[in-house]
Amino acid sequence: MSDHRTTPRATARVTVPNDLGALQKVKEELLAAVTKHDYPEASAFAIRLALEEAVQNAYQHGNKGDPSRSVAFEWRIANSAITVVIEDEGTGFTPDVVPDPTDPERLEMPSGRGLLLMRAYMADVHYNDRGNRVTMVYQRPVN
Amino acid sequence: MTSTDSRLRIRKEDDVTYVEFVDRNILDEANIQRIADEITGLIDSDDMPKLIISFTNVDHLSSAALGALITIHNRTKQKQGQLRLADIDPQIYEVFTITKLNKLFEIHDTAQDAVASFA
């Protein structure tokens, strides 16, 4: 028997060119779906932030801004959680070796906070072995 | 003082420069770079600049925007200036807390409070 809390109410899969305009449209589509499924404003804030960071990582660090490459998205929106998967065509990276940007000695470094923010706002953030596909899970807050 | 395509509202009162953002979302990398360049120009045009950046209209910002603010902070320090951030919505303030940048920046509830804090 399916559980209404975890059964997806909306799913989507889309692959777009590594182009800022095309990526923006997908972000807007996902955020519209989040709002449509009665997630509160705070959830939309959290998902937007994590999504911005993940997409920027895919566009810039993974695909190196190359418009001939693509970014693949998949999302599942359920009552209790939202799962977003984003895959680029880069060589990948090892998230465990990213230095802690809150280290007092690194606080004045202008970059390196994206992953920290994704982890702070999502219940789970994990990468495939290659490091070019991120899966982010957001849990609906308990009232 | 503000060019037509600027994403900032800038005014100067006495020796204090006030900056506000036109956009509610400070997310786009190209825009962020332009904003950083414009504010850096303001800092460089003053000796010991006193700068207040107000987030009164801002709903969202990204790590790239935080990076630009750090660059602005570092530039202000080089010029022996003073930078204050103000009018930050609680949701945005949480981003500063998570990244511990609330320890790097001097943040005030309002621009009025920020002005009073200048040495």
Side-chain angles (χ1 to χ4, degrees), chain A residues 4-123:
Chain A
H4 78 281
R5 290 169 306 162
T6 54
T7 304
R9 295 168 67 194
T11 60
R13 256 183 215 193
V14 59
T15 299
V16 295
N18 195 53
D19 167 84
L20 288 174
L23 293 168
Q24 182 64 29
K25 278 186 188 164
V26 179
K27 285 187 279 184
E28 284 168 10
E29 193 182 330
L30 170 54
L31 290 167
V34 169
T35 306
K36 188 179 162 195
H37 287 88
D38 301 326
Y39 274 81
E41 198 276 333
S43 300
F45 179 90
I47 290 161
R48 180 171 209 149
L49 190 66
L51 185 62
E52 284 293 338
E53 301 299 337
V55 170
Q56 189 59 33
N57 283 348
Y59 170 80
Q60 189 177 352
H61 300 302
N63 283 343
K64 310 286 183 201
D66 180 350
S68 71
R69 292 183 175 185
S70 300
V71 182
F73 294 81
E74 184 181 341
W75 64 78
R76 297 182 291 280
I77 300 176
N79 274 345
S80 61
I82 296 170
T83 304
V84 181
V85 184
I86 300 172
E87 181 171 351
D88 62 57
E89 294 184 313
T91 53
F93 82 116
T94 310
D96 293 344
V97 302
V98 175
D100 178 4
T102 66
D103 182 333
E105 289 184 3
R106 301 192 67 84
L107 216 50
E108 293 191 23
M109 303 279 285
S111 60
R113 289 176 180 80
L115 191 55
L116 169 72
L117 289 172
M118 288 158 61
R119 284 176 168 153
Y121 283 93
M122 297 289 112

Side-chain angles (χ1 to χ4, degrees), chain A residues 20 41-45 48-49 52-53 56 60 101-102 107-111 113-114 116-117 120-121, chain B residues 25 27 29 59-63 66-67 70-71 73-74 77 91-92 94-95 98-101 103-104:
Chain A
L20 288 174
E41 198 276 333
S43 300
F45 179 90
R48 180 171 209 149
L49 190 66
E52 284 293 338
E53 301 299 337
Q56 189 59 33
Q60 189 177 352
T102 66
L107 216 50
E108 293 191 23
M109 303 279 285
S111 60
R113 289 176 180 80
L116 169 72
L117 289 172
Y121 283 93
Chain B
N25 299 329
L27 300 168
E29 290 260 344
D59 291 336
H60 294 277
L61 51 70
S62 64
S63 67
L66 296 175
I70 291 167
T71 303
H73 162 84
N74 294 344
K77 241 172 52 172
Q91 268 186 331
I92 303 266
E94 193 182 4
V95 175
I98 290 164
T99 54
K100 297 195 178 165
L101 290 174
K103 295 181 179 177
L104 182 71

